[in-house]
Every structure is written in structure tokens, then in C-alpha cells.
Amino acid sequence: LLARAGIGPLFWATNGRSALEAFREEQQPIDVVVCDLLMPEMDGIEFLKQVSDEGYSPSIVISSGADEDTQREMESVARTHGLRVLGFIPKPVSVDALLTVLARHGSQDTQPDPPAEPEAEPDPARRTP
């Protein structure tokens, strides 16, 4: 789909282990990874952990048929490991959905705002008149 949309260069891996090899062998950084949760030899969560542990920091697009809770867990793991999540693409993947999520790559506004600090309870001993 990406090649037909004129996006490249592209690197294709059929599983997490071969994708990690591509990271190690490429001379130029890999900017964006489209990752599924269920992959042969290594699931998507383990793959994202290893990508981060090895010092890589691509933007991540999660493409999965998994339920929303599982997708959120994968997103949380990615963000906990310092990876930028551009969004989700449900399966089957469409070119329009893929291009919409990839358009976020240039934007800095893809991370959620940090959780708001809870407002402190007023101290009863410090009442104002």
C-alpha cells in the first residue's frame, strides 16, 4: 500500500526478529514502523520494547485487528518506552487510513497531554475569611 502511494524507501519484515535486524543493518534511521500486535516469533509488544531497549526511536503506527483495550495496552507500552505513537489502523488496512495516520509524523501533537495533577484539597486550617 505504501509503495502504491509513492512512499519510500520501504523496508519489509515478516516478523519482529527480522525487523530488529533491519534496524541494526540500515545505515539511515528508520523513521516510522507499522506494527501489528500478533506477529510470528515475537509479538508486537515485545518488539516495541526491544526497539526502545536497543536505542531506536521510530514513530509507531499500530495496525491490528485486536480489541481496543489490547490496542491501548500496546500504545501504553510503546509510550512507556519512549516511542511516539502516531495512531491505530484497523485491519484490513486502507490506503486512506494509512496516509491519514502517517500525516501525523511531521506533527509534534500526537502525544496525549500528561495527566492533570489532582487539585489539592483545601487545608481547613488555612481558611480565608
Short mmCIF file of all heavy atoms in Angstrom, two decimals, residues 21-88:
data_model
loop_
_atom_site.label_atom_id
_atom_site.label_comp_id
_atom_site.label_asym_id
_atom_site.label_seq_id
_atom_site.Cartn_x
_atom_site.Cartn_y
_atom_site.Cartn_z
N GLU A 21 16.61 -6.84 12.92
CA GLU A 21 17.80 -6.94 12.06
C GLU A 21 17.86 -5.78 11.08
O GLU A 21 18.93 -5.24 10.82
CB GLU A 21 17.83 -8.28 11.30
CG GLU A 21 18.26 -9.45 12.15
CD GLU A 21 19.66 -9.25 12.72
OE1 GLU A 21 20.59 -8.85 11.98
OE2 GLU A 21 19.83 -9.49 13.93
N ALA A 22 16.71 -5.40 10.53
CA ALA A 22 16.69 -4.26 9.61
C ALA A 22 17.16 -2.99 10.32
O ALA A 22 17.92 -2.21 9.76
CB ALA A 22 15.29 -4.07 9.03
N PHE A 23 16.73 -2.79 11.56
CA PHE A 23 17.18 -1.63 12.32
C PHE A 23 18.70 -1.66 12.48
O PHE A 23 19.37 -0.64 12.34
CB PHE A 23 16.55 -1.61 13.72
CG PHE A 23 15.23 -0.91 13.78
CD1 PHE A 23 14.05 -1.63 13.74
CD2 PHE A 23 15.16 0.47 13.90
CE1 PHE A 23 12.83 -0.99 13.82
CE2 PHE A 23 13.95 1.12 13.98
CZ PHE A 23 12.77 0.39 13.93
N ARG A 24 19.23 -2.83 12.80
CA ARG A 24 20.67 -2.95 13.05
C ARG A 24 21.50 -2.78 11.78
O ARG A 24 22.61 -2.27 11.85
CB ARG A 24 20.96 -4.32 13.66
CG ARG A 24 20.37 -4.47 15.05
CD ARG A 24 20.59 -5.89 15.59
NE ARG A 24 19.80 -6.10 16.79
CZ ARG A 24 19.00 -7.14 16.99
NH1 ARG A 24 18.89 -8.09 16.08
NH2 ARG A 24 18.31 -7.24 18.12
N GLU A 25 20.98 -3.18 10.64
CA GLU A 25 21.74 -3.18 9.41
C GLU A 25 21.62 -1.90 8.59
O GLU A 25 22.51 -1.60 7.81
CB GLU A 25 21.33 -4.38 8.54
CG GLU A 25 21.73 -5.70 9.17
CD GLU A 25 21.20 -6.90 8.40
OE1 GLU A 25 20.56 -6.72 7.34
OE2 GLU A 25 21.44 -8.03 8.86
N GLU A 26 20.56 -1.16 8.76
CA GLU A 26 20.34 0.03 7.94
C GLU A 26 21.28 1.15 8.34
O GLU A 26 21.51 1.40 9.51
CB GLU A 26 18.89 0.51 8.06
CG GLU A 26 17.92 -0.34 7.29
CD GLU A 26 18.34 -0.57 5.86
OE1 GLU A 26 18.69 0.40 5.14
OE2 GLU A 26 18.31 -1.73 5.43
N GLN A 27 21.81 1.83 7.34
CA GLN A 27 22.70 2.95 7.57
C GLN A 27 21.92 4.21 7.94
O GLN A 27 22.41 5.04 8.69
CB GLN A 27 23.55 3.21 6.32
CG GLN A 27 24.44 2.04 5.95
CD GLN A 27 25.42 1.68 7.05
OE1 GLN A 27 26.07 2.55 7.60
NE2 GLN A 27 25.50 0.40 7.38
N GLN A 28 20.73 4.35 7.39
CA GLN A 28 19.91 5.51 7.72
C GLN A 28 18.86 5.10 8.74
O GLN A 28 18.44 3.95 8.77
CB GLN A 28 19.26 6.08 6.47
CG GLN A 28 18.33 5.12 5.74
CD GLN A 28 17.79 5.71 4.45
OE1 GLN A 28 18.09 6.83 4.09
NE2 GLN A 28 16.99 4.93 3.75
N PRO A 29 18.45 6.04 9.60
CA PRO A 29 17.46 5.68 10.62
C PRO A 29 16.12 5.31 10.00
O PRO A 29 15.74 5.84 8.96
CB PRO A 29 17.32 6.94 11.47
CG PRO A 29 18.22 7.96 10.90
CD PRO A 29 18.87 7.41 9.67
N ILE A 30 15.44 4.41 10.64
CA ILE A 30 14.08 4.04 10.24
C ILE A 30 13.15 4.97 11.01
O ILE A 30 13.17 5.00 12.23
CB ILE A 30 13.81 2.55 10.54
CG1 ILE A 30 14.74 1.70 9.67
CG2 ILE A 30 12.34 2.22 10.29
CD1 ILE A 30 14.68 0.21 9.95
N ASP A 31 12.37 5.75 10.27
CA ASP A 31 11.55 6.81 10.86
C ASP A 31 10.21 6.33 11.42
O ASP A 31 9.75 6.81 12.45
CB ASP A 31 11.25 7.90 9.84
CG ASP A 31 12.50 8.61 9.37
OD1 ASP A 31 13.44 8.75 10.17
OD2 ASP A 31 12.53 9.02 8.21
N VAL A 32 9.56 5.43 10.69
CA VAL A 32 8.21 5.00 11.05
C VAL A 32 8.13 3.49 10.93
O VAL A 32 8.64 2.90 9.98
CB VAL A 32 7.15 5.64 10.12
CG1 VAL A 32 5.75 5.15 10.47
CG2 VAL A 32 7.21 7.16 10.18
N VAL A 33 7.48 2.88 11.92
CA VAL A 33 7.24 1.44 11.90
C VAL A 33 5.74 1.21 11.98
O VAL A 33 5.07 1.77 12.86
CB VAL A 33 7.93 0.75 13.10
CG1 VAL A 33 7.51 -0.72 13.19
CG2 VAL A 33 9.43 0.87 13.00
N VAL A 34 5.23 0.42 11.05
CA VAL A 34 3.84 -0.05 11.12
C VAL A 34 3.93 -1.44 11.74
O VAL A 34 4.58 -2.33 11.20
CB VAL A 34 3.17 -0.08 9.74
CG1 VAL A 34 1.74 -0.60 9.85
CG2 VAL A 34 3.21 1.30 9.08
N CYS A 35 3.30 -1.58 12.89
CA CYS A 35 3.49 -2.80 13.68
C CYS A 35 2.16 -3.42 14.05
O CYS A 35 1.23 -2.72 14.47
CB CYS A 35 4.27 -2.42 14.94
SG CYS A 35 4.65 -3.79 16.02
N ASP A 36 2.08 -4.72 13.94
CA ASP A 36 0.90 -5.48 14.39
C ASP A 36 1.19 -6.01 15.78
O ASP A 36 2.34 -6.12 16.20
CB ASP A 36 0.64 -6.64 13.43
CG ASP A 36 -0.74 -7.25 13.58
OD1 ASP A 36 -1.41 -6.99 14.58
OD2 ASP A 36 -1.15 -8.00 12.68
N LEU A 37 0.15 -6.35 16.48
CA LEU A 37 0.30 -6.95 17.80
C LEU A 37 0.70 -8.42 17.66
O LEU A 37 1.59 -8.90 18.36
CB LEU A 37 -1.02 -6.84 18.58
CG LEU A 37 -1.04 -7.51 19.94
CD1 LEU A 37 -0.04 -6.85 20.88
CD2 LEU A 37 -2.43 -7.46 20.53
N LEU A 38 0.06 -9.11 16.75
CA LEU A 38 0.31 -10.54 16.58
C LEU A 38 1.24 -10.76 15.40
O LEU A 38 0.87 -10.52 14.26
CB LEU A 38 -1.01 -11.29 16.36
CG LEU A 38 -2.04 -11.14 17.48
CD1 LEU A 38 -3.35 -11.79 17.09
CD2 LEU A 38 -1.50 -11.72 18.77
N MET A 39 2.45 -11.18 15.71
CA MET A 39 3.45 -11.46 14.67
C MET A 39 4.10 -12.79 15.00
O MET A 39 4.18 -13.17 16.16
CB MET A 39 4.53 -10.37 14.64
CG MET A 39 4.04 -8.99 14.34
SD MET A 39 5.38 -7.79 14.18
CE MET A 39 6.11 -7.77 15.80
N PRO A 40 4.62 -13.48 13.97
CA PRO A 40 5.34 -14.71 14.25
C PRO A 40 6.63 -14.44 15.02
O PRO A 40 7.25 -13.40 14.85
CB PRO A 40 5.66 -15.27 12.86
CG PRO A 40 5.00 -14.39 11.87
CD PRO A 40 4.52 -13.17 12.57
N GLU A 41 7.02 -15.34 15.85
CA GLU A 41 8.28 -15.35 16.60
C GLU A 41 8.38 -14.32 17.74
O GLU A 41 9.14 -14.52 18.66
CB GLU A 41 9.49 -15.18 15.66
CG GLU A 41 9.63 -16.29 14.67
CD GLU A 41 10.89 -16.15 13.85
OE1 GLU A 41 11.91 -15.70 14.39
OE2 GLU A 41 10.84 -16.51 12.66
N MET A 42 7.67 -13.20 17.63
CA MET A 42 7.76 -12.16 18.66
C MET A 42 6.51 -11.28 18.53
O MET A 42 6.24 -10.78 17.44
CB MET A 42 9.02 -11.32 18.42
CG MET A 42 9.20 -10.17 19.38
SD MET A 42 10.60 -9.09 18.94
CE MET A 42 11.96 -10.23 18.92
N ASP A 43 5.77 -11.09 19.63
CA ASP A 43 4.60 -10.24 19.50
C ASP A 43 4.99 -8.77 19.42
O ASP A 43 6.13 -8.38 19.68
CB ASP A 43 3.58 -10.50 20.61
CG ASP A 43 4.06 -10.07 21.99
OD1 ASP A 43 4.71 -9.02 22.12
OD2 ASP A 43 3.74 -10.78 22.96
N GLY A 44 4.05 -7.94 19.01
CA GLY A 44 4.31 -6.52 18.80
C GLY A 44 4.78 -5.80 20.04
O GLY A 44 5.64 -4.90 19.96
N ILE A 45 4.26 -6.16 21.20
CA ILE A 45 4.67 -5.51 22.44
C ILE A 45 6.14 -5.79 22.73
O ILE A 45 6.91 -4.88 23.04
CB ILE A 45 3.75 -5.94 23.61
CG1 ILE A 45 2.35 -5.36 23.39
CG2 ILE A 45 4.33 -5.49 24.95
CD1 ILE A 45 1.31 -5.82 24.37
N GLU A 46 6.56 -7.03 22.61
CA GLU A 46 7.97 -7.38 22.83
C GLU A 46 8.86 -6.70 21.79
O GLU A 46 9.95 -6.21 22.11
CB GLU A 46 8.17 -8.89 22.77
CG GLU A 46 9.59 -9.34 23.02
CD GLU A 46 10.15 -8.93 24.38
OE1 GLU A 46 9.37 -8.79 25.34
OE2 GLU A 46 11.38 -8.73 24.46
N PHE A 47 8.39 -6.64 20.55
CA PHE A 47 9.16 -5.97 19.51
C PHE A 47 9.38 -4.50 19.87
O PHE A 47 10.50 -3.99 19.80
CB PHE A 47 8.45 -6.09 18.16
CG PHE A 47 9.02 -5.22 17.10
CD1 PHE A 47 10.26 -5.48 16.54
CD2 PHE A 47 8.33 -4.09 16.67
CE1 PHE A 47 10.80 -4.66 15.57
CE2 PHE A 47 8.86 -3.27 15.70
CZ PHE A 47 10.10 -3.54 15.14
N LEU A 48 8.34 -3.81 20.29
CA LEU A 48 8.47 -2.39 20.63
C LEU A 48 9.40 -2.17 21.82
O LEU A 48 10.20 -1.24 21.84
CB LEU A 48 7.10 -1.77 20.89
CG LEU A 48 6.17 -1.70 19.68
CD1 LEU A 48 4.82 -1.12 20.08
CD2 LEU A 48 6.80 -0.92 18.54
N LYS A 49 9.32 -3.07 22.80
CA LYS A 49 10.24 -2.98 23.94
C LYS A 49 11.69 -3.11 23.47
O LYS A 49 12.56 -2.36 23.89
CB LYS A 49 9.93 -4.07 24.97
CG LYS A 49 8.68 -3.85 25.78
CD LYS A 49 8.49 -5.02 26.73
CE LYS A 49 7.18 -4.94 27.46
NZ LYS A 49 6.97 -6.12 28.31
N GLN A 50 11.95 -4.08 22.60
CA GLN A 50 13.31 -4.29 22.12
C GLN A 50 13.80 -3.14 21.25
O GLN A 50 14.97 -2.76 21.32
CB GLN A 50 13.43 -5.63 21.40
CG GLN A 50 13.38 -6.78 22.38
CD GLN A 50 13.89 -8.07 21.77
OE1 GLN A 50 14.69 -8.08 20.85
NE2 GLN A 50 13.43 -9.19 22.31
N VAL A 51 12.92 -2.58 20.44
CA VAL A 51 13.28 -1.42 19.63
C VAL A 51 13.78 -0.31 20.54
O VAL A 51 14.84 0.28 20.33
CB VAL A 51 12.08 -0.94 18.77
CG1 VAL A 51 12.31 0.46 18.23
CG2 VAL A 51 11.82 -1.91 17.63
N SER A 52 13.04 -0.05 21.60
CA SER A 52 13.42 1.00 22.55
C SER A 52 14.68 0.64 23.30
O SER A 52 15.59 1.46 23.44
CB SER A 52 12.27 1.25 23.53
OG SER A 52 12.65 2.16 24.52
N ASP A 53 14.75 -0.60 23.78
CA ASP A 53 15.92 -1.04 24.55
C ASP A 53 17.22 -0.94 23.74
O ASP A 53 18.29 -0.73 24.30
CB ASP A 53 15.75 -2.49 25.04
CG ASP A 53 14.71 -2.61 26.15
OD1 ASP A 53 14.28 -1.57 26.70
OD2 ASP A 53 14.32 -3.76 26.45
N GLU A 54 17.11 -1.09 22.42
CA GLU A 54 18.30 -1.01 21.57
C GLU A 54 18.59 0.43 21.13
O GLU A 54 19.51 0.67 20.35
CB GLU A 54 18.15 -1.94 20.37
CG GLU A 54 18.18 -3.40 20.81
CD GLU A 54 18.28 -4.39 19.66
OE1 GLU A 54 18.81 -4.02 18.58
OE2 GLU A 54 17.83 -5.54 19.84
N GLY A 55 17.81 1.38 21.64
CA GLY A 55 18.10 2.79 21.41
C GLY A 55 17.49 3.40 20.17
O GLY A 55 17.84 4.51 19.79
N TYR A 56 16.57 2.71 19.52
CA TYR A 56 15.90 3.26 18.35
C TYR A 56 14.66 4.02 18.79
O TYR A 56 14.07 3.71 19.82
CB TYR A 56 15.53 2.14 17.37
CG TYR A 56 16.70 1.29 16.98
CD1 TYR A 56 16.79 -0.03 17.40
CD2 TYR A 56 17.73 1.81 16.21
CE1 TYR A 56 17.88 -0.82 17.05
CE2 TYR A 56 18.83 1.03 15.86
CZ TYR A 56 18.88 -0.28 16.29
OH TYR A 56 19.96 -1.06 15.94
N SER A 57 14.26 5.02 18.00
CA SER A 57 13.10 5.80 18.39
C SER A 57 12.22 6.18 17.19
O SER A 57 11.97 7.35 16.93
CB SER A 57 13.54 7.06 19.14
OG SER A 57 14.43 7.81 18.33
N PRO A 58 11.73 5.17 16.47
CA PRO A 58 10.85 5.49 15.35
C PRO A 58 9.46 5.89 15.86
O PRO A 58 9.09 5.60 16.99
CB PRO A 58 10.77 4.16 14.59
CG PRO A 58 10.87 3.14 15.69
CD PRO A 58 11.88 3.74 16.64
N SER A 59 8.71 6.56 15.01
CA SER A 59 7.29 6.75 15.29
C SER A 59 6.60 5.43 14.98
O SER A 59 7.01 4.70 14.08
CB SER A 59 6.72 7.86 14.41
OG SER A 59 7.30 9.11 14.75
N ILE A 60 5.54 5.15 15.72
CA ILE A 60 4.87 3.86 15.61
C ILE A 60 3.44 4.04 15.11
O ILE A 60 2.71 4.89 15.60
CB ILE A 60 4.82 3.15 16.99
CG1 ILE A 60 6.22 3.03 17.59
CG2 ILE A 60 4.13 1.79 16.89
CD1 ILE A 60 7.19 2.19 16.79
N VAL A 61 3.06 3.20 14.16
CA VAL A 61 1.67 3.06 13.72
C VAL A 61 1.28 1.64 14.09
O VAL A 61 1.97 0.69 13.72
CB VAL A 61 1.52 3.27 12.20
CG1 VAL A 61 0.07 3.00 11.77
CG2 VAL A 61 1.97 4.67 11.81
N ILE A 62 0.21 1.50 14.85
CA ILE A 62 -0.24 0.17 15.25
C ILE A 62 -1.38 -0.24 14.32
O ILE A 62 -2.37 0.47 14.19
CB ILE A 62 -0.71 0.17 16.71
CG1 ILE A 62 0.46 0.57 17.63
CG2 ILE A 62 -1.27 -1.20 17.09
CD1 ILE A 62 0.06 0.86 19.06
N SER A 63 -1.19 -1.36 13.66
CA SER A 63 -2.20 -1.91 12.78
C SER A 63 -2.60 -3.26 13.34
O SER A 63 -1.77 -4.16 13.43
CB SER A 63 -1.66 -2.07 11.36
OG SER A 63 -2.62 -2.70 10.56
N SER A 64 -3.85 -3.37 13.74
CA SER A 64 -4.23 -4.61 14.40
C SER A 64 -5.73 -4.83 14.32
O SER A 64 -6.50 -3.88 14.23
CB SER A 64 -3.80 -4.55 15.87
OG SER A 64 -4.17 -5.73 16.53
N GLY A 65 -6.08 -6.07 14.38
CA GLY A 65 -7.48 -6.45 14.48
C GLY A 65 -7.86 -6.71 15.93
O GLY A 65 -8.97 -7.13 16.22
N ALA A 66 -6.94 -6.44 16.85
CA ALA A 66 -7.18 -6.68 18.28
C ALA A 66 -8.22 -5.69 18.81
O ALA A 66 -8.44 -4.62 18.23
CB ALA A 66 -5.88 -6.54 19.06
N ASP A 67 -8.80 -6.02 19.94
CA ASP A 67 -9.79 -5.14 20.54
C ASP A 67 -9.14 -3.85 21.06
O ASP A 67 -7.93 -3.76 21.19
CB ASP A 67 -10.53 -5.86 21.68
CG ASP A 67 -9.60 -6.29 22.80
OD1 ASP A 67 -9.02 -5.41 23.47
OD2 ASP A 67 -9.46 -7.51 23.01
N GLU A 68 -9.97 -2.85 21.33
CA GLU A 68 -9.46 -1.54 21.73
C GLU A 68 -8.63 -1.59 23.01
O GLU A 68 -7.63 -0.87 23.13
CB GLU A 68 -10.61 -0.55 21.91
CG GLU A 68 -11.10 0.01 20.60
CD GLU A 68 -12.11 1.12 20.81
OE1 GLU A 68 -11.90 1.96 21.72
OE2 GLU A 68 -13.09 1.15 20.06
N ASP A 69 -9.02 -2.41 23.98
CA ASP A 69 -8.24 -2.50 25.22
C ASP A 69 -6.82 -2.99 24.95
O ASP A 69 -5.85 -2.48 25.50
CB ASP A 69 -8.92 -3.41 26.24
CG ASP A 69 -10.18 -2.80 26.83
OD1 ASP A 69 -10.33 -1.56 26.76
OD2 ASP A 69 -11.01 -3.56 27.36
N THR A 70 -6.70 -3.99 24.09
CA THR A 70 -5.39 -4.52 23.75
C THR A 70 -4.57 -3.49 22.97
O THR A 70 -3.38 -3.33 23.21
CB THR A 70 -5.54 -5.82 22.93
OG1 THR A 70 -6.35 -6.74 23.68
CG2 THR A 70 -4.19 -6.46 22.64
N GLN A 71 -5.22 -2.77 22.08
CA GLN A 71 -4.53 -1.71 21.34
C GLN A 71 -4.04 -0.62 22.30
O GLN A 71 -2.91 -0.15 22.17
CB GLN A 71 -5.44 -1.10 20.29
CG GLN A 71 -5.73 -2.02 19.14
CD GLN A 71 -6.67 -1.39 18.13
OE1 GLN A 71 -7.00 -0.22 18.19
NE2 GLN A 71 -7.11 -2.20 17.18
N ARG A 72 -4.87 -0.25 23.25
CA ARG A 72 -4.46 0.78 24.23
C ARG A 72 -3.28 0.29 25.06
O ARG A 72 -2.38 1.05 25.39
CB ARG A 72 -5.62 1.15 25.14
CG ARG A 72 -6.53 2.15 24.52
CD ARG A 72 -7.49 2.75 25.55
NE ARG A 72 -8.72 3.05 24.88
CZ ARG A 72 -9.84 2.33 24.94
NH1 ARG A 72 -9.90 1.27 25.71
NH2 ARG A 72 -10.90 2.68 24.27
N GLU A 73 -3.28 -0.99 25.41
CA GLU A 73 -2.16 -1.55 26.17
C GLU A 73 -0.88 -1.47 25.35
O GLU A 73 0.18 -1.09 25.85
CB GLU A 73 -2.44 -3.00 26.56
CG GLU A 73 -1.32 -3.62 27.35
CD GLU A 73 -1.59 -5.07 27.70
OE1 GLU A 73 -2.74 -5.52 27.64
OE2 GLU A 73 -0.61 -5.77 28.04
N MET A 74 -0.97 -1.80 24.07
CA MET A 74 0.20 -1.73 23.21
C MET A 74 0.69 -0.29 23.09
O MET A 74 1.89 -0.02 23.14
CB MET A 74 -0.12 -2.30 21.84
CG MET A 74 1.08 -2.46 20.94
SD MET A 74 0.59 -3.40 19.48
CE MET A 74 2.14 -3.44 18.60
N GLU A 75 -0.24 0.64 22.95
CA GLU A 75 0.12 2.06 22.88
C GLU A 75 0.80 2.50 24.17
O GLU A 75 1.81 3.20 24.16
CB GLU A 75 -1.11 2.91 22.62
CG GLU A 75 -0.81 4.39 22.58
CD GLU A 75 -2.04 5.24 22.32
OE1 GLU A 75 -3.17 4.76 22.52
OE2 GLU A 75 -1.86 6.38 21.90
N SER A 76 0.27 2.07 25.29
CA SER A 76 0.85 2.43 26.59
C SER A 76 2.27 1.89 26.73
O SER A 76 3.16 2.59 27.20
CB SER A 76 -0.04 1.88 27.72
OG SER A 76 0.54 2.13 28.96
N VAL A 77 2.48 0.65 26.32
CA VAL A 77 3.83 0.06 26.38
C VAL A 77 4.78 0.87 25.50
O VAL A 77 5.89 1.20 25.91
CB VAL A 77 3.80 -1.42 25.94
CG1 VAL A 77 5.21 -1.94 25.68
CG2 VAL A 77 3.11 -2.27 27.00
N ALA A 78 4.34 1.21 24.30
CA ALA A 78 5.19 1.97 23.39
C ALA A 78 5.57 3.31 24.01
O ALA A 78 6.74 3.70 24.03
CB ALA A 78 4.48 2.18 22.06
N ARG A 79 4.60 4.02 24.54
CA ARG A 79 4.86 5.33 25.12
C ARG A 79 5.70 5.23 26.39
O ARG A 79 6.56 6.08 26.64
CB ARG A 79 3.56 6.06 25.37
CG ARG A 79 2.93 6.46 24.05
CD ARG A 79 1.77 7.35 24.17
NE ARG A 79 1.37 7.74 22.81
CZ ARG A 79 0.29 8.38 22.53
NH1 ARG A 79 -0.52 8.76 23.48
NH2 ARG A 79 0.00 8.68 21.28
N THR A 80 5.47 4.21 27.19
CA THR A 80 6.27 4.00 28.39
C THR A 80 7.74 3.82 28.03
O THR A 80 8.62 4.22 28.76
CB THR A 80 5.76 2.76 29.17
OG1 THR A 80 4.42 3.02 29.58
CG2 THR A 80 6.62 2.46 30.37
N HIS A 81 7.98 3.23 26.87
CA HIS A 81 9.35 3.00 26.39
C HIS A 81 9.87 4.15 25.52
O HIS A 81 10.87 4.01 24.82
CB HIS A 81 9.44 1.67 25.66
CG HIS A 81 9.43 0.51 26.60
ND1 HIS A 81 8.27 -0.01 27.13
CD2 HIS A 81 10.44 -0.19 27.16
CE1 HIS A 81 8.58 -1.00 27.95
NE2 HIS A 81 9.88 -1.12 27.98
N GLY A 82 9.18 5.29 25.56
CA GLY A 82 9.67 6.48 24.87
C GLY A 82 9.41 6.53 23.38
O GLY A 82 10.03 7.33 22.67
N LEU A 83 8.51 5.70 22.89
CA LEU A 83 8.21 5.69 21.46
C LEU A 83 6.97 6.54 21.18
O LEU A 83 6.04 6.56 21.98
CB LEU A 83 7.99 4.26 20.98
CG LEU A 83 9.18 3.32 21.17
CD1 LEU A 83 8.80 1.89 20.81
CD2 LEU A 83 10.39 3.78 20.38
N ARG A 84 6.98 7.23 20.07
CA ARG A 84 5.88 8.11 19.67
C ARG A 84 4.87 7.30 18.87
O ARG A 84 5.22 6.71 17.84
CB ARG A 84 6.46 9.23 18.83
CG ARG A 84 5.45 10.23 18.35
CD ARG A 84 6.19 11.35 17.62
NE ARG A 84 5.23 12.31 17.16
CZ ARG A 84 5.29 12.90 15.98
NH1 ARG A 84 6.31 12.65 15.19
NH2 ARG A 84 4.39 13.77 15.62
N VAL A 85 3.63 7.26 19.32
CA VAL A 85 2.58 6.52 18.64
C VAL A 85 1.77 7.49 17.79
O VAL A 85 1.17 8.44 18.31
CB VAL A 85 1.67 5.78 19.63
CG1 VAL A 85 0.55 5.05 18.90
CG2 VAL A 85 2.48 4.80 20.48
N LEU A 86 1.77 7.27 16.48
CA LEU A 86 1.03 8.14 15.57
C LEU A 86 -0.45 7.81 15.56
O LEU A 86 -1.27 8.68 15.32
CB LEU A 86 1.59 8.03 14.15
CG LEU A 86 3.04 8.45 13.97
CD1 LEU A 86 3.49 8.21 12.53
CD2 LEU A 86 3.25 9.89 14.37
N GLY A 87 -0.79 6.55 15.79
CA GLY A 87 -2.19 6.16 15.80
C GLY A 87 -2.39 4.69 15.48
O GLY A 87 -1.43 3.93 15.39
N PHE A 88 -3.66 4.35 15.30
CA PHE A 88 -4.08 2.98 15.02
C PHE A 88 -4.70 2.90 13.64
O PHE A 88 -5.37 3.83 13.21
CB PHE A 88 -5.15 2.53 16.02
CG PHE A 88 -4.69 2.53 17.43
CD1 PHE A 88 -5.01 3.59 18.25
CD2 PHE A 88 -3.95 1.48 17.94
CE1 PHE A 88 -4.60 3.61 19.57
CE2 PHE A 88 -3.53 1.50 19.25
CZ PHE A 88 -3.86 2.56 20.05
#
